[in-house]
Amino acid sequence: MRNIKLLIEYDGANYQGWQIQLVGPTVQGTIEKKLSILTGETIHLIGSGRTDAGTHAIGQVAHFKTQSRMGVHTIQKAMNSLLPPDIVIQKAEEVEEDFHARKSSKSKIYEYRILNRDTRSVFHRGYAWHFPQNLDWKEMEKATQMLIGEHDFSSFRSVGSPTYSAVRKVIRADWRKDPDGLIRFEIEANGFLKQMVRAVVGTLLEVGRGRISAEEFRRILESKDRKKGGPTAPGHGLFLKE
């Protein structure tokens, strides 16, 4: 058996997230079906992590086992001819037998995009949350730094999340502003809870618009109570970056 690693880019607008669901199309299910057609085998594709419905990926990593002797470049080209236009295999490579897309992952980077200006954009509408309110950057950045380190992120995990422990280590978190009003929030951690990034962003924007202070953000984090946190930002602004 060969172990093949894929680097995948996708627009999640038409999918119920990465993981196969009972109802609706998923990214994992769509790729698995095409891989099965290509190899003539029943393929099980394992991703580095799940993404929510409507969420995108620039650098999702996945792997699958196959007995096919097809070259990796041929696999990439053939898959891109079979897949719908909103999913692209950016790279395929043969890796060690013990490589595992999820277990071998040391950290993940997510990016959330916000369009912070009065007018919405035709071109950002499916890839950034339009948020026209003025933001207090000093207070937001103060709150953002409170995420760094190891914490219990129960205050930012969706109800019904299957993960036993809510403790995660955030390595870095920062904001970048473009001249056209596009804001990018980037966060790297050793792992993420279900909807964690979207809940963090929604709460940080509550700080930015003056509804809560940075100190109140700290208390929300320490409370381990999702009910005390801010709203969950919409999925279409979120990208699994690396």
Side-chain angles (χ1 to χ4, degrees), residues 38-109:
L38 184 64
T39 63
E41 303 168 332
T42 300
I43 296 294
H44 180 47
L45 184 68
I46 299 174
S48 65
R50 304 169 184 176
T51 52
D52 303 331
T55 296
H56 317 296
I58 298 169
Q60 172 71 286
V61 173
H63 79 277
F64 67 96
K65 301 290 182 69
T66 179
Q67 291 182 330
S68 170
R69 305 318 300 170
M70 196 179 302
V72 289
H73 185 62
T74 302
I75 290 173
Q76 180 191 6
K77 288 188 70 176
M79 283 297 292
N80 284 337
S81 69
L82 291 170
L83 286 166
D86 52 9
I87 303 175
V88 175
I89 307 301
Q90 293 289 357
K91 187 178 182 182
E93 59 182 312
E94 190 163 352
V95 290
E96 297 84 359
E97 185 181 354
D98 63 351
F99 173 83
H100 192 284
R102 179 172 50 80
K103 294 177 182 177
S104 300
S105 173
K106 296 179 179 178
S107 68
K108 295 185 180 76
I109 299 172

Side-chain angles (χ1 to χ4, degrees), residues 17-28:
W18 166 265
Q19 189 178 30
I20 292 174
Q21 308 286 333
L22 293 175
V23 179
T26 64
V27 180
Q28 179 190 22

